[in-house]
Amino acid sequence: VHPLGKSPVVTDNGKTIAESGAIVEYVVDTYGQGRLKPPAGTDEALRYTYWLHFAEGSAMPPFLIKLIVDRIESAKAPFFVRPVAKGIAARIRKGFLDRQIGSILDYIESELGKDEWFAGNEFSAADIQMSFPCEVAAMRAGPGAARPKLAAFVERIHARPAYKHALEKGGPYELIR
Ligand SMILES: N[C@@H](CCC(=O)N[C@@H](CS)C(=O)NCC(=O)O)C(=O)O
C-alpha cells in the first residue's frame, strides 16, 4: 500500500504504483501495444502529455480547495466562530475559487470544441485521466449544464464498454459533493 494511503494504487508484477497519471502511463506502456497513446513526435502526442498532467496538476486542485472551503463553511463550531468561518469561506470563494473553476471549465469546454477527444480524434489515456475532473465538474454543475461539450464528453466516457466493464469489476463509486 502507498505510504500516503491514497487511492488509486495498483500492484502488478511485484511493483506497486501510485498516482493516477503514473498508473495510466504504466498500464499504457506495459499493456497498450501502441494503443491509447498517439505516436511519438506528433502534435497529438504533445496534447496527450499535456492533458495527462493537466488533470491532476491543474484541474483537480481548485475542486479540492472548494471541497475544503465548503467543509469549513458547514463545520460545527461555537456560535461566535461560525460567522467568521463563513466570512472567510465566502471571501475565498468570491475572490479566487469561483473565478478559477469557471475559467478552467470554460477552457476545457473550448478545447473540447476542437476535436472529439482531448488529444485529437482518437480516444486516448489522456481522456481517461481527464474523465475524473470532468465528472466532478459535471456533477457540481448539474444536468443541463451551461457547458454542453463537457457534459457530452462525460456521457461519451460513460457509454464506452470499457468504462461499463470497469464499473462491473470494481463496483459503483460515488463522488463527494
Ligand atoms: N493526485 C493523486 C490524488 C490521489 C487522491 O487524493 N486520492 C483520493 C481519492 S480520489 C484519496 O485517496 N483520498 C483519501 C485521502 O486523501 O486520505 C492521484 O491522481 O492519484
Side-chain angles (χ1 to χ4, degrees), residues 6-8 19-20 56 132:
K6 306 238 185 207
S7 67
E19 199 59 51
S20 58
E56 286 296 312
F132 193 60

Side-chain angles (χ1 to χ4, degrees), residues 60 62-64 66-67 70 101 105 134-143 175-177:
M60 280 313 283
F63 285 115
L64 196 59
K66 185 174 183 315
L67 196 68
D70 290 350
I101 291 179
L105 298 185
C134 287
E135 201 160 9
V136 170
M139 175 198 70
R140 300 259 160 86
L175 299 171
I176 304 170
R177 278 192 182 265

